[in-house]
Amino acid sequence: MKYDIKTLTLDEKLKLLAGRNSWQLENANGKLPDVFLSDGPHGLRMYDLSAAERTIQKATAMPNLCVVASTWDEEIARLQGATIAEDCIEKGADVLLAPGVNIKRTPLCGRNFEYFSEDPYLAGVMGKAYIEGVQSKGVGTSLKHYCANNREYDRYYQTSEVDERTLREIYLLPFEIATKAQPWTVMCAYNPINGVYASENKWLLNDILREEFGFDGLIVSDWNAVHNSVRAVKATIDLEMPYREAAYPQLKKAYEEGWLTDEEIDARVEKILALMEKTQCEKSVSLTKEQRHEAAATIAREGMVLLKNEDDILPLTAGKIVVNGPFADAPAMGGGGSAYTQTDYRPQTLAQALSERLGERAELIRPHGSLNENLNVHHIKATYKAAYNAEVCVLCVGTGKAIESESFDRANLRLSPTQEDLILGVAKINPNVVVVLHSGSAVDVSPWIDKVKAVLWAGFSGEGGQEAIADILTGKVCPSGKLTETYPLCLDDTPTGAARGNGFAERYDEGVFVGYRYYDRYDKEVRFPFGHGLSYAKFEYSDLQIEKQGETDYEVSFSVTNVSAVDGKEVAQVYVRDVFAMVTRPEKELKGFKKVALKAGESKRVRVKLCARSFAYYSVPLKKWHVENGDFEILIGASSRDIRLTDKLTIELDEREQYSLE
Ligand code: GLC
């Protein structure tokens, strides 16, 4: 160990257990290095502590995690992490406070743009890859917010009441998977879980995260998530952030009264010293600012999702094209709050970007009118007039950081009335409407979806979003993203509807039936299913084989063929169904996926490994993940509701390990 705890006084140790300010750790009067923690998942959001007033330094604004997730490509998640790490190294941030892997339990959650999915396996796998990307550059991460922090309403105090099986199978699973990348830190959430604050929940922090999941890094509190520093230390929180005046006296008094022991203090301090040692590694910048921007654009291109494309109206080719809407001149780069990155990059307008790509073939019209997220009547009328003589109208609408943000949830799933009216009004004049939808989570598109020909979901796409949108709309890039959350028909169809708890507690009554698990179980129609995404290419699936490689180890293989004349990429999904179990299980669960690039006419063999955990559920009475003997179906899908191939297998384990009816 580089830093010896024996050189520290008791007071220095106690002061190390809380931050020096909002972003830095204590340094024991200079005996230890300065360590700087900084947001965020979509680019460095670092305060300039030397500046007079709170200023955030500029950095590369990357696509939000909702877009990274929709690429279904672990390499892309690594690229996101590694690219942000470059800005961290340049500006001196040692630990990046990301990624968030909380489950998108309700589309109302204000921070869904910051999270990966409604599915825990996908969230965990993509979160793990992101961590690997950042830490490959010698910068730390903070896997957050541990755990069951699934809405912003009353996030500091409202307890999430979740049964243990649901916790394990849904809300803990992303953390269990992502900790395999050994993030340098994990951040505990604000909320209590089953009545005990995450910052005081020793069962979750120590027994599960440290001992069961094997996490050996530092646990940091979310900012101001610690209510009692002593209980936090005893629950094995290593670092309380930010600085809190009451922390040191509370700890000192508890020590003097014998409530806090030297062993408990030293165990936490050792974790802090270990983190400090990690931060002293060699790091170097390898990407220019332009290369980081290009990485942002690449990720945006890979993650945008073509939701609808009637009459193959896309890609755009020629003619008079009207472009308007609140996000026509600049895409929604990110959601609001601590994950919003300040960039000095100014994108082209979409009209300019499209004109550049279509050239003389097209005439781009961007009617006058003030362009902001609140449309005005001149804006709308000008668009109507222009639409009358146009071939196609591209309307750039969405939510943006004023609607989707940290610290508050959405009031509903609809677009604003003026945006809905803009779409409906233009569609009445010209049926050839293409909507570019800027949102961080699901939108209720029911008022207008049948009135438009195409919808491209752009997500919150970072500084490279505009060029990505233009590349996809003009066919320069073939869209390949797929949804990682269900688009329900309406809010009332979601597991939680408009409910938000009662300010004291929220019961997770739907249990494991979250997202597509819920819509499948209750046979609900959805607008766009989990895993949905169209392409300009066309893919066929064939020849599913299942090879047994061990007691519960299998290799699933199948072929995907691009039967079109367009090069593209397809995300093939592998779902498992437990045909009969002693507990109620979801109809299908995602247990593998692969994004495969296929040239026109090309065919590739896709292979996915399944193991015991692909078949198991968490048994509370047995206190373990349990595989029941019996039949399992393997479903290969282009989405969770577009199953292309199926087969089945039978698992027959030692009966002495079984607890079924017989
Ligand atoms: C915020 C967020 C957390 C962020 C931290 C520092 O409240 O919950 O995600 O990293 O505080 O800004």
Side-chain angles (χ1 to χ4, degrees), residues 170-359:
I170 303 293
Y171 299 100
L172 288 172
L173 185 57
F175 292 92
E176 181 181 4
I177 296 170
T179 42
K180 292 183 181 10
Q182 281 304 344
W184 289 7
T185 78
V186 166
M187 182 190 295
C188 84
Y190 287 118
N191 52 283
I193 296 95
N194 295 328
V196 178
Y197 279 116
S199 61
E200 300 177 8
N201 205 310
K202 189 168 184 183
W203 175 63
L204 285 172
L205 298 170
N206 186 65
D207 305 356
I208 292 181
L209 181 62
R210 291 188 195 281
E211 292 180 6
E212 273 191 48
F213 294 174
F215 171 64
D216 68 8
L218 174 142
I219 301 178
V220 59
S221 74
D222 200 340
W223 269 233
N224 303 307
V226 169
H227 301 267
N228 179 303
S229 302
V230 182
R231 278 204 289 271
V233 169
K234 293 173 100 55
T236 75
I237 291 278
D238 301 303
L239 174 65
E240 167 181 350
M241 286 304 286
Y243 168 79
R244 185 168 68 98
E245 191 179 359
Y248 166 69
Q250 225 170 38
L251 293 166
K252 185 76 182 271
K253 184 167 176 293
Y255 179 77
E256 287 161 350
E257 291 171 354
W259 186 32
L260 195 59
T261 66
D262 288 306
E263 292 70 34
E264 288 171 322
I265 295 165
D266 289 358
R268 309 300 29 111
V269 170
E270 291 292 4
K271 291 293 183 185
I272 292 173
L273 298 180
L275 174 68
M276 289 179 166
E277 185 163 349
K278 288 176 185 170
T279 64
Q280 301 309 299
C281 63
E282 276 305 303
K283 348 181 174 186
S284 61
V285 168
S286 58
L287 297 179
T288 64
K289 194 171 159 57
E290 292 67 30
Q291 287 171 321
R292 293 173 213 172
H293 172 83
E294 188 41 41
T298 298
I299 295 166
R301 290 184 194 104
E302 290 287 318
M304 292 183 179
V305 182
L306 183 58
L307 295 175
K308 179 179 181 181
N309 191 20
E310 203 174 292
D311 304 341
D312 290 336
I313 189 170
L314 291 177
L316 301 173
T317 50
K320 237 183 229 178
I321 301 171
V322 173
V323 180
N324 223 338
F327 297 107
D329 283 4
M333 290 195 190
S338 62
Y340 189 78
T341 305
Q342 307 277 358
T343 176
D344 50 17
Y345 183 82
R346 292 290 164 263
Q348 287 177 304
T349 69
L350 185 56
Q352 288 164 342
L354 290 174
S355 179
E356 234 174 52
R357 286 158 180 77
L358 294 172

Side-chain angles (χ1 to χ4, degrees), residues 496-537:
T496 57
R500 58 164 186 253
N502 58 14
F504 163 68
E506 179 172 19
R507 292 199 51 75
Y508 286 34
D509 290 323
E510 74 283 357
V512 298
F513 300 102
V514 175
Y516 66 89
R517 291 169 166 83
Y518 174 81
Y519 302 110
D520 285 352
R521 174 165 172 69
Y522 298 102
D523 239 353
K524 282 184 176 283
E525 199 192 328
V526 297
R527 179 69 61 199
F528 301 115
F530 173 83
H532 169 75
L534 302 176
S535 171
Y536 298 145

Side-chain angles (χ1 to χ4, degrees), residues 72-232:
W72 290 66
D73 185 338
E74 293 166 79
E75 280 316 307
I76 289 287
R78 289 190 187 93
L79 174 63
Q80 173 98 350
T83 305
I84 298 172
E86 297 266 340
D87 280 327
C88 293
I89 296 167
E90 216 157 67
K91 301 273 192 329
D94 301 294
V95 177
L96 183 70
L97 300 171
V101 293
N102 294 97
I103 291 299
K104 302 189 184 199
R105 174 175 177 251
T106 164
L108 286 176
C109 176
R111 287 182 92 169
N112 272 352
F113 62 90
E114 258 192 87
Y115 302 144
F116 289 97
S117 181
E118 68 190 29
D119 180 84
Y121 173 80
L122 182 58
V125 168
M126 296 299 275
K128 173 174 176 285
Y130 180 105
I131 291 163
E132 289 163 350
V134 176
Q135 296 187 170
S136 70
K137 305 292 287 182
V139 175
T141 55
S142 195
L143 178 62
K144 66 188 186 179
H145 307 86
Y146 186 76
C147 70
N149 174 193
N150 304 102
R151 66 170 78 240
E152 291 302 288
Y153 174 68
D154 200 13
R155 63 174 174 161
Y156 295 99
Y157 304 108
Q158 178 163 275
T159 189
S160 298
E161 291 192 357
V162 196
D163 68 275
E164 185 176 357
R165 179 183 162 215
T166 301
L167 260 182
R168 299 266 190 177
E169 291 191 21
I170 303 293
Y171 299 100
L172 288 172
L173 185 57
F175 292 92
E176 181 181 4
I177 296 170
T179 42
K180 292 183 181 10
Q182 281 304 344
W184 289 7
T185 78
V186 166
M187 182 190 295
C188 84
Y190 287 118
N191 52 283
I193 296 95
N194 295 328
V196 178
Y197 279 116
S199 61
E200 300 177 8
N201 205 310
K202 189 168 184 183
W203 175 63
L204 285 172
L205 298 170
N206 186 65
D207 305 356
I208 292 181
L209 181 62
R210 291 188 195 281
E211 292 180 6
E212 273 191 48
F213 294 174
F215 171 64
D216 68 8
L218 174 142
I219 301 178
V220 59
S221 74
D222 200 340
W223 269 233
N224 303 307
V226 169
H227 301 267
N228 179 303
S229 302
V230 182
R231 278 204 289 271

Side-chain angles (χ1 to χ4, degrees), residues 415-575:
L415 293 179
S416 67
T418 44
Q419 291 192 38
E420 289 186 343
D421 289 348
L422 174 71
I423 297 168
L424 293 169
V426 170
K428 262 210 183 90
I429 296 166
N430 185 329
N432 293 327
V433 173
V434 171
V435 167
V436 180
L437 179 61
H438 297 255
S439 74
S441 193
V443 168
D444 174 355
V445 301
S446 51
W448 48 268
I449 188 65
D450 296 331
K451 306 280 193 308
V452 304
K453 289 272 181 71
V455 181
L456 173 68
W457 178 74
F460 288 160
S461 52
E463 64 181 61
Q466 199 77 294
E467 51 212 273
I469 293 166
D471 286 343
I472 291 173
L473 291 183
T474 58
K476 190 175 170 191
V477 165
C478 182
S480 62
K482 294 206 173 179
L483 292 178
T484 64
E485 64 176 290
T486 305
Y487 271 51
L489 293 179
C490 62
L491 178 60
D492 288 349
D493 270 14
T494 62
T496 57
R500 58 164 186 253
N502 58 14
F504 163 68
E506 179 172 19
R507 292 199 51 75
Y508 286 34
D509 290 323
E510 74 283 357
V512 298
F513 300 102
V514 175
Y516 66 89
R517 291 169 166 83
Y518 174 81
Y519 302 110
D520 285 352
R521 174 165 172 69
Y522 298 102
D523 239 353
K524 282 184 176 283
E525 199 192 328
V526 297
R527 179 69 61 199
F528 301 115
F530 173 83
H532 169 75
L534 302 176
S535 171
Y536 298 145
K538 190 169 180 324
F539 303 101
E540 284 180 0
Y541 291 61
S542 60
D543 189 15
L544 170 59
Q545 302 287 331
I546 301 176
E547 185 195 345
K548 186 172 170 61
Q549 296 181 335
E551 224 184 13
T552 48
D553 294 311
Y554 291 83
E555 180 178 90
V556 171
S557 63
F558 52 93
S559 296
V560 181
T561 305
N562 180 347
V563 296
S564 77
V566 178
D567 296 352
K569 294 178 183 175
E570 172 69 339
V571 176
Q573 301 147 47
V574 180
Y575 295 89

Side-chain angles (χ1 to χ4, degrees), residues 119 121 125 516 544-558 572-578 585 588-594 606-616 627 630-637 645-651 653:
D119 180 84
Y121 173 80
V125 168
Y516 66 89
L544 170 59
Q545 302 287 331
I546 301 176
E547 185 195 345
K548 186 172 170 61
Q549 296 181 335
E551 224 184 13
T552 48
D553 294 311
Y554 291 83
E555 180 178 90
V556 171
S557 63
F558 52 93
Q573 301 147 47
V574 180
Y575 295 89
V576 174
R577 171 182 295 149
D578 188 345
R585 298 193 70 179
K588 64 173 95 73
E589 296 181 276
L590 181 76
K591 297 297 178 186
F593 60 89
K594 275 275 183 337
V606 179
R607 298 179 188 283
V608 170
K609 297 273 191 194
L610 298 177
C611 62
R613 285 292 293 270
S614 307
F615 304 100
V627 178
D631 296 328
F632 289 84
E633 287 175 7
I634 306 302
L635 314 164
I636 309 301
L645 303 168
T646 58
D647 199 347
K648 71 176 186 178
L649 57 90
T650 304
I651 290 182
L653 301 174

